[in-house]
mmCIF file of all heavy atoms in Angstrom:
data_model
loop_
_atom_site.group_PDB
_atom_site.id
_atom_site.type_symbol
_atom_site.label_atom_id
_atom_site.label_comp_id
_atom_site.label_asym_id
_atom_site.label_seq_id
_atom_site.Cartn_x
_atom_site.Cartn_y
_atom_site.Cartn_z
ATOM 1 N N GLU A 1 -27.130 -19.028 -6.169
ATOM 2 C CA GLU A 1 -26.831 -18.154 -7.313
ATOM 3 C C GLU A 1 -28.080 -17.442 -7.813
ATOM 4 O O GLU A 1 -28.023 -16.263 -8.203
ATOM 5 C CB GLU A 1 -26.205 -18.968 -8.452
ATOM 6 C CG GLU A 1 -24.807 -19.485 -8.153
ATOM 7 C CD GLU A 1 -24.802 -20.812 -7.415
ATOM 8 O OE1 GLU A 1 -25.904 -21.323 -7.113
ATOM 9 O OE2 GLU A 1 -23.708 -21.335 -7.143
ATOM 10 N N LEU A 2 -29.202 -18.151 -7.799
ATOM 11 C CA LEU A 2 -30.454 -17.556 -8.275
ATOM 12 C C LEU A 2 -30.844 -16.349 -7.426
ATOM 13 O O LEU A 2 -31.228 -15.291 -7.947
ATOM 14 C CB LEU A 2 -31.568 -18.606 -8.245
ATOM 15 C CG LEU A 2 -32.956 -18.166 -8.723
ATOM 16 C CD1 LEU A 2 -32.906 -17.641 -10.144
ATOM 17 C CD2 LEU A 2 -33.944 -19.317 -8.598
ATOM 18 N N THR A 3 -30.722 -16.469 -6.118
ATOM 19 C CA THR A 3 -31.075 -15.365 -5.225
ATOM 20 C C THR A 3 -30.102 -14.203 -5.374
ATOM 21 O O THR A 3 -30.506 -13.034 -5.358
ATOM 22 C CB THR A 3 -31.109 -15.848 -3.760
ATOM 23 O OG1 THR A 3 -31.920 -17.025 -3.661
ATOM 24 C CG2 THR A 3 -31.678 -14.775 -2.850
ATOM 25 N N LEU A 4 -28.819 -14.515 -5.517
ATOM 26 C CA LEU A 4 -27.833 -13.452 -5.746
ATOM 27 C C LEU A 4 -28.148 -12.690 -7.028
ATOM 28 O O LEU A 4 -28.111 -11.452 -7.062
ATOM 29 C CB LEU A 4 -26.429 -14.060 -5.832
ATOM 30 C CG LEU A 4 -25.789 -14.532 -4.523
ATOM 31 C CD1 LEU A 4 -24.525 -15.340 -4.805
ATOM 32 C CD2 LEU A 4 -25.473 -13.359 -3.607
ATOM 33 N N ALA A 5 -28.470 -13.419 -8.095
ATOM 34 C CA ALA A 5 -28.767 -12.774 -9.379
ATOM 35 C C ALA A 5 -29.996 -11.880 -9.292
ATOM 36 O O ALA A 5 -30.029 -10.779 -9.862
ATOM 37 C CB ALA A 5 -28.959 -13.840 -10.457
ATOM 38 N N ILE A 6 -31.003 -12.340 -8.566
ATOM 39 C CA ILE A 6 -32.229 -11.532 -8.414
ATOM 40 C C ILE A 6 -31.918 -10.232 -7.680
ATOM 41 O O ILE A 6 -32.328 -9.141 -8.102
ATOM 42 C CB ILE A 6 -33.315 -12.342 -7.671
ATOM 43 C CG1 ILE A 6 -33.860 -13.451 -8.580
ATOM 44 C CG2 ILE A 6 -34.456 -11.428 -7.205
ATOM 45 C CD1 ILE A 6 -34.760 -14.439 -7.871
ATOM 46 N N HIS A 7 -31.179 -10.321 -6.587
ATOM 47 C CA HIS A 7 -30.888 -9.114 -5.804
ATOM 48 C C HIS A 7 -29.873 -8.202 -6.492
ATOM 49 O O HIS A 7 -29.830 -7.001 -6.203
ATOM 50 C CB HIS A 7 -30.404 -9.506 -4.406
ATOM 51 C CG HIS A 7 -31.524 -9.794 -3.452
ATOM 52 N ND1 HIS A 7 -32.382 -8.812 -2.993
ATOM 53 C CD2 HIS A 7 -31.941 -10.946 -2.876
ATOM 54 C CE1 HIS A 7 -33.272 -9.353 -2.172
ATOM 55 N NE2 HIS A 7 -33.029 -10.646 -2.088
ATOM 56 N N ARG A 8 -29.077 -8.721 -7.406
ATOM 57 C CA ARG A 8 -28.175 -7.868 -8.178
ATOM 58 C C ARG A 8 -28.915 -7.150 -9.311
ATOM 59 O O ARG A 8 -28.530 -6.060 -9.724
ATOM 60 C CB ARG A 8 -27.022 -8.705 -8.753
ATOM 61 C CG ARG A 8 -25.922 -8.987 -7.737
ATOM 62 C CD ARG A 8 -24.931 -10.021 -8.251
ATOM 63 N NE ARG A 8 -24.298 -9.638 -9.511
ATOM 64 C CZ ARG A 8 -23.215 -8.869 -9.623
ATOM 65 N NH1 ARG A 8 -22.643 -8.378 -8.526
ATOM 66 N NH2 ARG A 8 -22.688 -8.594 -10.800
ATOM 67 N N THR A 9 -29.994 -7.779 -9.789
ATOM 68 C CA THR A 9 -30.739 -7.208 -10.920
ATOM 69 C C THR A 9 -31.829 -6.257 -10.464
ATOM 70 O O THR A 9 -32.110 -5.252 -11.123
ATOM 71 C CB THR A 9 -31.357 -8.348 -11.766
ATOM 72 O OG1 THR A 9 -30.344 -9.275 -12.136
ATOM 73 C CG2 THR A 9 -32.031 -7.788 -13.019
ATOM 74 N N PHE A 10 -32.446 -6.567 -9.338
ATOM 75 C CA PHE A 10 -33.560 -5.755 -8.838
ATOM 76 C C PHE A 10 -33.151 -5.036 -7.556
ATOM 77 O O PHE A 10 -32.093 -5.309 -6.986
ATOM 78 C CB PHE A 10 -34.785 -6.644 -8.601
ATOM 79 C CG PHE A 10 -35.313 -7.269 -9.864
ATOM 80 C CD1 PHE A 10 -34.852 -8.512 -10.292
ATOM 81 C CD2 PHE A 10 -36.251 -6.613 -10.642
ATOM 82 C CE1 PHE A 10 -35.320 -9.090 -11.456
ATOM 83 C CE2 PHE A 10 -36.729 -7.176 -11.809
ATOM 84 C CZ PHE A 10 -36.257 -8.410 -12.226
ATOM 85 N N ASP A 11 -33.987 -4.112 -7.116
ATOM 86 C CA ASP A 11 -33.666 -3.259 -5.973
ATOM 87 C C ASP A 11 -34.687 -3.452 -4.858
ATOM 88 O O ASP A 11 -35.624 -2.674 -4.710
ATOM 89 C CB ASP A 11 -33.621 -1.785 -6.406
ATOM 90 C CG ASP A 11 -32.548 -1.516 -7.447
ATOM 91 O OD1 ASP A 11 -31.391 -1.903 -7.208
ATOM 92 O OD2 ASP A 11 -32.871 -0.940 -8.507
ATOM 93 N N SER A 12 -34.498 -4.527 -4.084
ATOM 94 C CA SER A 12 -35.367 -4.766 -2.928
ATOM 95 C C SER A 12 -34.973 -3.787 -1.814
ATOM 96 O O SER A 12 -33.791 -3.493 -1.635
ATOM 97 C CB SER A 12 -35.183 -6.207 -2.444
ATOM 98 O OG SER A 12 -35.942 -6.478 -1.303
ATOM 99 N N PRO A 13 -35.941 -3.236 -1.066
ATOM 100 C CA PRO A 13 -37.356 -3.583 -1.026
ATOM 101 C C PRO A 13 -38.246 -2.763 -1.971
ATOM 102 O O PRO A 13 -39.454 -3.001 -2.013
ATOM 103 C CB PRO A 13 -37.732 -3.289 0.429
ATOM 104 C CG PRO A 13 -36.872 -2.117 0.778
ATOM 105 C CD PRO A 13 -35.566 -2.341 0.058
ATOM 106 N N ARG A 14 -37.664 -1.798 -2.684
ATOM 107 C CA ARG A 14 -38.511 -1.041 -3.620
ATOM 108 C C ARG A 14 -39.104 -1.980 -4.663
ATOM 109 O O ARG A 14 -40.279 -1.896 -4.999
ATOM 110 C CB ARG A 14 -37.729 0.079 -4.288
ATOM 111 C CG ARG A 14 -38.596 0.884 -5.250
ATOM 112 C CD ARG A 14 -38.095 2.296 -5.468
ATOM 113 N NE ARG A 14 -39.028 3.067 -6.278
ATOM 114 C CZ ARG A 14 -40.143 3.621 -5.816
ATOM 115 N NH1 ARG A 14 -40.450 3.498 -4.539
ATOM 116 N NH2 ARG A 14 -40.951 4.296 -6.615
ATOM 117 N N ASP A 15 -38.284 -2.869 -5.186
ATOM 118 C CA ASP A 15 -38.797 -3.966 -5.990
ATOM 119 C C ASP A 15 -39.136 -5.098 -5.024
ATOM 120 O O ASP A 15 -38.334 -5.438 -4.146
ATOM 121 C CB ASP A 15 -37.751 -4.442 -7.002
ATOM 122 C CG ASP A 15 -37.459 -3.401 -8.072
ATOM 123 O OD1 ASP A 15 -38.373 -2.613 -8.390
ATOM 124 O OD2 ASP A 15 -36.331 -3.371 -8.577
ATOM 125 N N VAL A 16 -40.306 -5.660 -5.170
ATOM 126 C CA VAL A 16 -40.799 -6.657 -4.221
ATOM 127 C C VAL A 16 -40.411 -8.060 -4.686
ATOM 128 O O VAL A 16 -40.703 -8.451 -5.821
ATOM 129 C CB VAL A 16 -42.330 -6.550 -4.070
ATOM 130 C CG1 VAL A 16 -42.858 -7.665 -3.166
ATOM 131 C CG2 VAL A 16 -42.706 -5.187 -3.513
ATOM 132 N N VAL A 17 -39.748 -8.809 -3.808
ATOM 133 C CA VAL A 17 -39.355 -10.187 -4.110
ATOM 134 C C VAL A 17 -40.196 -11.119 -3.243
ATOM 135 O O VAL A 17 -40.178 -11.038 -2.016
ATOM 136 C CB VAL A 17 -37.856 -10.416 -3.847
ATOM 137 C CG1 VAL A 17 -37.472 -11.847 -4.218
ATOM 138 C CG2 VAL A 17 -37.009 -9.414 -4.630
ATOM 139 N N LEU A 18 -40.922 -12.019 -3.901
ATOM 140 C CA LEU A 18 -41.820 -12.950 -3.223
ATOM 141 C C LEU A 18 -41.339 -14.380 -3.442
ATOM 142 O O LEU A 18 -40.898 -14.731 -4.537
ATOM 143 C CB LEU A 18 -43.249 -12.811 -3.768
ATOM 144 C CG LEU A 18 -43.844 -11.402 -3.825
ATOM 145 C CD1 LEU A 18 -45.176 -11.421 -4.565
ATOM 146 C CD2 LEU A 18 -44.034 -10.848 -2.416
ATOM 147 N N PHE A 19 -41.460 -15.217 -2.412
ATOM 148 C CA PHE A 19 -41.014 -16.607 -2.512
ATOM 149 C C PHE A 19 -42.189 -17.560 -2.315
ATOM 150 O O PHE A 19 -42.967 -17.427 -1.382
ATOM 151 C CB PHE A 19 -39.948 -16.902 -1.447
ATOM 152 C CG PHE A 19 -38.638 -16.232 -1.713
ATOM 153 C CD1 PHE A 19 -38.378 -14.963 -1.221
ATOM 154 C CD2 PHE A 19 -37.668 -16.861 -2.475
ATOM 155 C CE1 PHE A 19 -37.171 -14.331 -1.472
ATOM 156 C CE2 PHE A 19 -36.452 -16.243 -2.730
ATOM 157 C CZ PHE A 19 -36.208 -14.969 -2.230
ATOM 158 N N ASP A 20 -42.287 -18.531 -3.217
ATOM 159 C CA ASP A 20 -43.321 -19.564 -3.141
ATOM 160 C C ASP A 20 -42.632 -20.919 -3.290
ATOM 161 O O ASP A 20 -42.265 -21.327 -4.368
ATOM 162 C CB ASP A 20 -44.329 -19.359 -4.273
ATOM 163 C CG ASP A 20 -45.594 -20.174 -4.088
ATOM 164 O OD1 ASP A 20 -45.585 -21.116 -3.271
ATOM 165 O OD2 ASP A 20 -46.583 -19.875 -4.764
ATOM 166 N N THR A 21 -42.417 -21.608 -2.162
ATOM 167 C CA THR A 21 -42.816 -21.187 -0.823
ATOM 168 C C THR A 21 -41.648 -20.511 -0.115
ATOM 169 O O THR A 21 -40.547 -20.500 -0.628
ATOM 170 C CB THR A 21 -43.268 -22.397 0.025
ATOM 171 O OG1 THR A 21 -42.157 -23.235 0.249
ATOM 172 C CG2 THR A 21 -44.368 -23.176 -0.649
ATOM 173 N N GLY A 22 -41.964 -20.031 1.088
ATOM 174 C CA GLY A 22 -40.971 -19.269 1.821
ATOM 175 C C GLY A 22 -39.820 -20.067 2.379
ATOM 176 O O GLY A 22 -38.855 -19.495 2.871
ATOM 177 N N HIS A 23 -39.892 -21.402 2.300
ATOM 178 C CA HIS A 23 -38.772 -22.186 2.842
ATOM 179 C C HIS A 23 -37.499 -22.020 2.021
ATOM 180 O O HIS A 23 -36.425 -22.419 2.456
ATOM 181 C CB HIS A 23 -39.141 -23.664 2.959
ATOM 182 C CG HIS A 23 -39.438 -24.350 1.670
ATOM 183 N ND1 HIS A 23 -40.631 -24.999 1.442
ATOM 184 C CD2 HIS A 23 -38.714 -24.504 0.547
ATOM 185 C CE1 HIS A 23 -40.608 -25.517 0.229
ATOM 186 N NE2 HIS A 23 -39.453 -25.231 -0.336
ATOM 187 N N GLN A 24 -37.580 -21.418 0.836
ATOM 188 C CA GLN A 24 -36.389 -21.198 0.016
ATOM 189 C C GLN A 24 -35.874 -19.759 0.142
ATOM 190 O O GLN A 24 -35.197 -19.243 -0.737
ATOM 191 C CB GLN A 24 -36.676 -21.531 -1.456
ATOM 192 C CG GLN A 24 -37.811 -20.747 -2.074
ATOM 193 C CD GLN A 24 -38.112 -21.185 -3.500
ATOM 194 O OE1 GLN A 24 -37.246 -21.693 -4.203
ATOM 195 N NE2 GLN A 24 -39.353 -20.981 -3.928
ATOM 196 N N SER A 25 -36.162 -19.127 1.276
ATOM 197 C CA SER A 25 -35.802 -17.712 1.453
ATOM 198 C C SER A 25 -34.603 -17.488 2.368
ATOM 199 O O SER A 25 -34.290 -16.349 2.704
ATOM 200 C CB SER A 25 -37.007 -16.941 2.021
ATOM 201 O OG SER A 25 -37.314 -17.388 3.336
ATOM 202 N N TYR A 26 -33.912 -18.534 2.801
ATOM 203 C CA TYR A 26 -32.784 -18.347 3.717
ATOM 204 C C TYR A 26 -31.685 -17.488 3.094
ATOM 205 O O TYR A 26 -31.098 -16.629 3.764
ATOM 206 C CB TYR A 26 -32.172 -19.693 4.117
ATOM 207 C CG TYR A 26 -33.014 -20.573 5.017
ATOM 208 C CD1 TYR A 26 -34.348 -20.279 5.302
ATOM 209 C CD2 TYR A 26 -32.474 -21.726 5.582
ATOM 210 C CE1 TYR A 26 -35.100 -21.102 6.108
ATOM 211 C CE2 TYR A 26 -33.220 -22.554 6.401
ATOM 212 C CZ TYR A 26 -34.534 -22.245 6.652
ATOM 213 O OH TYR A 26 -35.284 -23.068 7.460
ATOM 214 N N VAL A 27 -31.375 -17.727 1.815
ATOM 215 C CA VAL A 27 -30.326 -16.948 1.154
ATOM 216 C C VAL A 27 -30.763 -15.494 1.050
ATOM 217 O O VAL A 27 -29.964 -14.566 1.248
ATOM 218 C CB VAL A 27 -30.001 -17.527 -0.236
ATOM 219 C CG1 VAL A 27 -28.835 -16.766 -0.871
ATOM 220 C CG2 VAL A 27 -29.670 -19.012 -0.137
ATOM 221 N N HIS A 28 -32.032 -15.280 0.775
ATOM 222 C CA HIS A 28 -32.609 -13.934 0.750
ATOM 223 C C HIS A 28 -32.420 -13.248 2.103
ATOM 224 O O HIS A 28 -32.074 -12.061 2.176
ATOM 225 C CB HIS A 28 -34.096 -14.051 0.393
ATOM 226 C CG HIS A 28 -34.922 -12.845 0.701
ATOM 227 N ND1 HIS A 28 -34.949 -11.720 -0.095
ATOM 228 C CD2 HIS A 28 -35.772 -12.593 1.730
ATOM 229 C CE1 HIS A 28 -35.780 -10.833 0.424
ATOM 230 N NE2 HIS A 28 -36.289 -11.330 1.527
ATOM 231 N N LYS A 29 -32.604 -13.998 3.191
ATOM 232 C CA LYS A 29 -32.427 -13.425 4.526
ATOM 233 C C LYS A 29 -30.967 -13.044 4.766
ATOM 234 O O LYS A 29 -30.677 -12.001 5.370
ATOM 235 C CB LYS A 29 -32.895 -14.420 5.594
ATOM 236 C CG LYS A 29 -34.408 -14.608 5.628
ATOM 237 C CD LYS A 29 -34.838 -15.513 6.768
ATOM 238 C CE LYS A 29 -36.353 -15.670 6.782
ATOM 239 N NZ LYS A 29 -36.975 -15.261 8.021
ATOM 240 N N ILE A 30 -30.070 -13.894 4.287
ATOM 241 C CA ILE A 30 -28.639 -13.600 4.448
ATOM 242 C C ILE A 30 -28.278 -12.318 3.700
ATOM 243 O O ILE A 30 -27.612 -11.424 4.249
ATOM 244 C CB ILE A 30 -27.798 -14.783 3.940
ATOM 245 C CG1 ILE A 30 -27.981 -16.003 4.857
ATOM 246 C CG2 ILE A 30 -26.322 -14.408 3.858
ATOM 247 C CD1 ILE A 30 -27.383 -17.283 4.309
ATOM 248 N N ILE A 31 -28.709 -12.212 2.464
ATOM 249 C CA ILE A 31 -28.366 -11.057 1.628
ATOM 250 C C ILE A 31 -28.980 -9.769 2.175
ATOM 251 O O ILE A 31 -28.418 -8.684 2.012
ATOM 252 C CB ILE A 31 -28.830 -11.310 0.174
ATOM 253 C CG1 ILE A 31 -28.021 -12.463 -0.437
ATOM 254 C CG2 ILE A 31 -28.664 -10.054 -0.690
ATOM 255 C CD1 ILE A 31 -28.543 -12.925 -1.780
ATOM 256 N N THR A 32 -30.116 -9.885 2.841
ATOM 257 C CA THR A 32 -30.783 -8.694 3.371
ATOM 258 C C THR A 32 -30.393 -8.411 4.819
ATOM 259 O O THR A 32 -31.150 -7.788 5.569
ATOM 260 C CB THR A 32 -32.316 -8.821 3.243
ATOM 261 O OG1 THR A 32 -32.748 -10.057 3.845
ATOM 262 C CG2 THR A 32 -32.732 -8.807 1.786
ATOM 263 N N GLY A 33 -29.208 -8.888 5.218
ATOM 264 C CA GLY A 33 -28.620 -8.446 6.475
ATOM 265 C C GLY A 33 -28.948 -9.219 7.718
ATOM 266 O O GLY A 33 -28.776 -8.712 8.829
ATOM 267 N N ARG A 34 -29.370 -10.479 7.575
ATOM 268 C CA ARG A 34 -29.759 -11.241 8.756
ATOM 269 C C ARG A 34 -28.862 -12.440 9.041
ATOM 270 O O ARG A 34 -29.241 -13.335 9.807
ATOM 271 C CB ARG A 34 -31.226 -11.686 8.618
ATOM 272 C CG ARG A 34 -32.210 -10.566 8.830
ATOM 273 C CD ARG A 34 -33.618 -10.963 8.456
ATOM 274 N NE ARG A 34 -33.885 -10.740 7.033
ATOM 275 C CZ ARG A 34 -35.024 -11.042 6.422
ATOM 276 N NH1 ARG A 34 -36.009 -11.583 7.104
ATOM 277 N NH2 ARG A 34 -35.193 -10.791 5.124
ATOM 278 N N ALA A 35 -27.693 -12.471 8.433
ATOM 279 C CA ALA A 35 -26.783 -13.603 8.653
ATOM 280 C C ALA A 35 -26.423 -13.766 10.131
ATOM 281 O O ALA A 35 -26.303 -14.890 10.632
ATOM 282 C CB ALA A 35 -25.518 -13.424 7.818
ATOM 283 N N ASP A 36 -26.273 -12.649 10.842
ATOM 284 C CA ASP A 36 -25.893 -12.706 12.255
ATOM 285 C C ASP A 36 -26.964 -13.350 13.130
ATOM 286 O O ASP A 36 -26.692 -13.715 14.280
ATOM 287 C CB ASP A 36 -25.607 -11.296 12.786
ATOM 288 C CG ASP A 36 -24.352 -10.691 12.176
ATOM 289 O OD1 ASP A 36 -23.552 -11.458 11.602
ATOM 290 O OD2 ASP A 36 -24.181 -9.462 12.265
ATOM 291 N N SER A 37 -28.169 -13.494 12.590
ATOM 292 C CA SER A 37 -29.283 -14.007 13.390
ATOM 293 C C SER A 37 -29.541 -15.496 13.183
ATOM 294 O O SER A 37 -30.472 -16.046 13.773
ATOM 295 C CB SER A 37 -30.565 -13.227 13.050
ATOM 296 O OG SER A 37 -30.393 -11.839 13.290
ATOM 297 N N PHE A 38 -28.731 -16.147 12.359
ATOM 298 C CA PHE A 38 -29.023 -17.535 12.007
ATOM 299 C C PHE A 38 -28.769 -18.528 13.129
ATOM 300 O O PHE A 38 -29.250 -19.667 13.066
ATOM 301 C CB PHE A 38 -28.259 -17.941 10.739
ATOM 302 C CG PHE A 38 -29.084 -17.771 9.487
ATOM 303 C CD1 PHE A 38 -29.324 -16.511 8.971
ATOM 304 C CD2 PHE A 38 -29.648 -18.861 8.850
ATOM 305 C CE1 PHE A 38 -30.086 -16.341 7.833
ATOM 306 C CE2 PHE A 38 -30.420 -18.712 7.721
ATOM 307 C CZ PHE A 38 -30.640 -17.445 7.205
ATOM 308 N N ASP A 39 -28.052 -18.138 14.169
ATOM 309 C CA ASP A 39 -27.913 -19.036 15.313
ATOM 310 C C ASP A 39 -29.268 -19.242 15.993
ATOM 311 O O ASP A 39 -29.476 -20.240 16.679
ATOM 312 C CB ASP A 39 -26.910 -18.479 16.321
ATOM 313 C CG ASP A 39 -25.471 -18.613 15.842
ATOM 314 O OD1 ASP A 39 -25.190 -19.553 15.066
ATOM 315 O OD2 ASP A 39 -24.635 -17.775 16.228
ATOM 316 N N GLY A 40 -30.173 -18.294 15.800
ATOM 317 C CA GLY A 40 -31.506 -18.395 16.396
ATOM 318 C C GLY A 40 -32.580 -18.759 15.391
ATOM 319 O O GLY A 40 -33.765 -18.542 15.649
ATOM 320 N N LEU A 41 -32.189 -19.351 14.253
ATOM 321 C CA LEU A 41 -33.158 -19.733 13.225
ATOM 322 C C LEU A 41 -34.214 -20.670 13.800
ATOM 323 O O LEU A 41 -33.900 -21.691 14.396
ATOM 324 C CB LEU A 41 -32.434 -20.418 12.062
ATOM 325 C CG LEU A 41 -33.309 -20.970 10.929
ATOM 326 C CD1 LEU A 41 -33.974 -19.828 10.166
ATOM 327 C CD2 LEU A 41 -32.482 -21.839 9.978
ATOM 328 N N ARG A 42 -35.482 -20.278 13.678
ATOM 329 C CA ARG A 42 -36.633 -21.074 14.111
ATOM 330 C C ARG A 42 -36.655 -21.300 15.620
ATOM 331 O O ARG A 42 -37.358 -22.178 16.118
ATOM 332 C CB ARG A 42 -36.655 -22.426 13.383
ATOM 333 C CG ARG A 42 -36.710 -22.297 11.887
ATOM 334 C CD ARG A 42 -36.428 -23.596 11.156
ATOM 335 N NE ARG A 42 -37.557 -24.492 11.194
ATOM 336 C CZ ARG A 42 -37.526 -25.706 11.735
ATOM 337 N NH1 ARG A 42 -36.427 -26.140 12.330
ATOM 338 N NH2 ARG A 42 -38.582 -26.480 11.690
ATOM 339 N N GLN A 43 -35.870 -20.488 16.366
ATOM 340 C CA GLN A 43 -35.843 -20.591 17.825
ATOM 341 C C GLN A 43 -36.608 -19.410 18.428
ATOM 342 O O GLN A 43 -36.808 -18.381 17.782
ATOM 343 C CB GLN A 43 -34.396 -20.558 18.332
ATOM 344 C CG GLN A 43 -33.456 -21.524 17.628
ATOM 345 C CD GLN A 43 -33.841 -22.969 17.823
ATOM 346 O OE1 GLN A 43 -34.068 -23.411 18.948
ATOM 347 N NE2 GLN A 43 -33.904 -23.732 16.730
#
């Protein structure tokens, strides 16, 4: 929900969204069009 709210409120990539740390960025990847690539996550 937190990632959805951020992307609904701000306009990435014009607005820059940074994650500390990056291990909590999977939902961000899904929202930014990479859901189809998750079969190859970390492969």
Side-chain angles (χ1 to χ4, degrees):
E1 291 86 359
L2 181 58
T3 309
L4 286 169
I6 289 170
H7 277 292
R8 280 169 58 85
T9 307
F10 296 90
D11 298 308
S12 177
R14 181 155 186 79
D15 293 330
V16 175
V17 182
L18 309 172
F19 289 90
D20 193 344
T21 66
H23 63 236
Q24 58 184 334
S25 66
Y26 290 10
V27 184
H28 163 79
K29 289 185 180 238
I30 292 170
I31 294 171
T32 53
R34 285 170 273 178
D36 292 344
S37 302
F38 266 74
D39 286 332
L41 176 68
R42 302 167 76 240
Q43 310 297 310

